[in-house]
Structures are given as C-alpha cells and as structure tokens.
C-alpha cells in the first residue's frame, strides 16, 4: 500500500474503530439485535445504495470516477431481494438515512472526489468487515442465501485481490486531482463515516438491545 490509500485509511481509522466496537453493527455481530432490527437496517441500506448507485451511473462517463464505479459492486438488486425476503420493503428511511441520501444526491453525481469518498467508505467496507458481518448474521438469524445477499459479491471472486487493485487506483489519484481535491476527498470520507454512524445511532435508539431470534 502506498501513499493515498494509506492516507485515507489513517484519516478514517478512529471512525472505523468506533464502528467496529461501539455501533449498531458491532451489536448486530454479537447477536443483540432483533430480527425486525436487522430487517430494518437492510431497508435503510437499500435507500442509501439506491442513491449511491444512481451516482455511480452518473459517474460512469467521468474519466477518473468511472474506474471506481464498477457494476460488479452493485448492491441494489441484492438489497431488493433481501428486503423482500425479510419483509422490510415498506420500512421508511430514518432521518439520518435521509440526511445521508441527501448528501449523496447533492455532491456525488457531479463531484468525482465526493463520489469516490463515499464509494470507498461503503464498498471497501463491504468487501472487508461486511463479509464477516454477513457470515455472522446468516448464523444468527438462520438465513441461507435469502436475506443476506447484500453481504456477498457474486461478481467478485477474490475480494482481497479486488481491494488491492482498488487501493492502487486510490494511489493514482494524486496524479489527477489537485491537493485541494485530495483534501476534500479525505474530509468527505470522514463525513461519510459520520453519516453511517448517525444511521447506526438512530437504528440503536429504535431497536434497543434484544434477543436476535427471528
Ligand atoms: C463490526 C463491524 C466491522 C468490522 C468487524 C470491520 C472489519 C474490517 C476489517 C477487518 C478491515 C480490514 C480489511 C483489509 O485490510 O483488507 C476493514 C476495512 C474497512 N472497513 Fe470495516 N469493519 C466493520 C465496520 C465497518 C463500517 C460500519 C464501515 C463503514 C461504514 C467500514 C468501512 C471500512 C473501510 C472503508 C475499510 C477499508 C480500510 C482501508 O483499507 O482503506 N467498516 N473493516
């Protein structure tokens, strides 16, 4: 790993640690979220990824951002199948989800730096901790492939290799973005973590610790 990938990882390390150890996701991993809570989280993700992937579609014509906007990452079809399976298709977005979606809508269709920041936070996370979370929730709620499609990437055979190639693309950004744009990207990735954290906090308020059984 060289410069820019290291920089963005370091800049979001504290936020990441918080997500790993204290958030709704860490409670989910220790089996302390009810089935409706898990189903509602999946519905929140669908609202978020619809906007993120609409932005990815806009970005496919951008010479820099298109390198990141790989359709093999798309989560919306999986999330639609999951919410149908889990019975949470009608769950409305939380206020924090609306704020996250609004931020994506405002900046990520037109600014490659903002788009890449949000893309990095979600998809590199999905290809890392997300795979571990997926195995854990499948076990907790006794789900086979239905309900947990979001957590696996049928189009990506080797997530580790994919992440290495992704980090190489991040490392090339200093040759195409100005220092100000790079700073903006780093700041936006920190904001993206905070927007996620706010969704987890509201999920936690609405779904206090309970038994995981379906
Ligand atoms: C309990 C929850 C989580 C666990 C156990 C976890 C675990 C991990 C692990 C083990 C890695 C390192 C993978 C590697 O080096 O290849 C990683 C990376 C990452 N995670 Fe998480 N994670 C969690 C939650 C999250 C959340 C909620 C987000 C964002 C919303 C996130 C975003 C990321 C990102 C962006 C990376 C890539 C860091 C980099 O190498 O640049 N993670 N995660």
């Amino acid at each position: 790993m060289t410069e820019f990938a290291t920089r963005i990882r370091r800049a979001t390390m504290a936020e990441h640690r918080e997500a790993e150890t204290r958030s709704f996701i860490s409670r989910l991993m220790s089996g302390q979220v009810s089935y409706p809570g898990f189903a509602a989280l999946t519905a929140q993700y669908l609202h978020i990824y619809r906007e993120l992937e609409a932005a990815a579609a806009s970005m496919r014509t951008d010479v820099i951002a298109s390198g990141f906007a790989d359709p093999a990452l798309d989560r919306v079809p999986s999330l639609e199948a999951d919410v149908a399976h889990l019975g949470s298709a009608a769950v409305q977005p939380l206020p924090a989800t609306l704020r996250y979606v609004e931020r994506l809508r405002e900046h990520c269709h037109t600014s490659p730096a903002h788009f890449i920041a949000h893309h990095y936070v979600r998809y590199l996370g999905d290809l890392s901790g997300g795979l571990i979370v997926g195995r854990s929730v499948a076990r907790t709620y006794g789900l086979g492939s239905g309900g947990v499609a979001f957590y696996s990437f049928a189009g990506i055979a080797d997530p580790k290799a994919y992440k290495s190639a992704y980090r190489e693309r991040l490392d090339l950004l200093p040759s195409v973005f100005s220092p100000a744009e790079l700073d903006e990207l780093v700041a936006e990735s920190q904001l993206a973590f905070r927007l996620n954290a706010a969704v987890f906090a509201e999920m936690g308020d609405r779904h206090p610790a309970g038994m995981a059984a379906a």
Side-chain angles (χ1 to χ4, degrees), residues 9 16 20 25 29 120 125 128-129 163 167 193 196 200:
R9 173 188 247 182
H16 187 266
E20 250 183 326
I25 305 302
M29 288 197 52
Y120 161 78
S128 306
K163 287 190 293 182
R167 291 190 182 107
F193 263 100
N196 276 279
F200 301 148

Side-chain angles (χ1 to χ4, degrees), residues 50-163:
R50 276 197 176 127
E51 193 55 43
L52 184 56
E53 289 173 13
S58 303
M59 283 291 155
R60 288 208 175 99
T61 54
D62 180 88
V63 70
I64 302 164
S66 57
F68 293 87
D70 177 1
L73 292 168
D74 285 353
R75 301 289 78 207
V76 168
S78 301
L79 283 166
E80 284 175 343
D82 287 346
V83 297
H85 185 93
L86 299 169
S88 58
V91 171
Q92 293 301 305
L94 293 167
T97 302
L98 290 174
R99 285 197 298 278
Y100 191 170
V101 167
E102 188 48 36
R103 183 77 190 171
L104 295 171
R105 186 175 302 138
E106 237 183 86
H107 293 278
C108 295
H109 289 262
T110 48
S111 161
H114 285 77
F115 169 73
I116 293 167
H118 284 278
H119 191 277
Y120 161 78
V121 169
R122 279 305 336 173
Y123 295 108
L124 223 56
D126 294 335
L127 287 168
S128 306
L131 305 180
I132 309 168
V133 175
R135 282 193 291 275
S136 164
V137 294
R139 225 178 14 250
T140 301
Y141 303 103
L143 297 164
S145 56
V148 286
F150 169 69
Y151 297 95
S152 53
F153 288 81
I156 295 176
D158 184 346
K160 200 164 181 277
Y162 192 95
K163 287 190 293 182

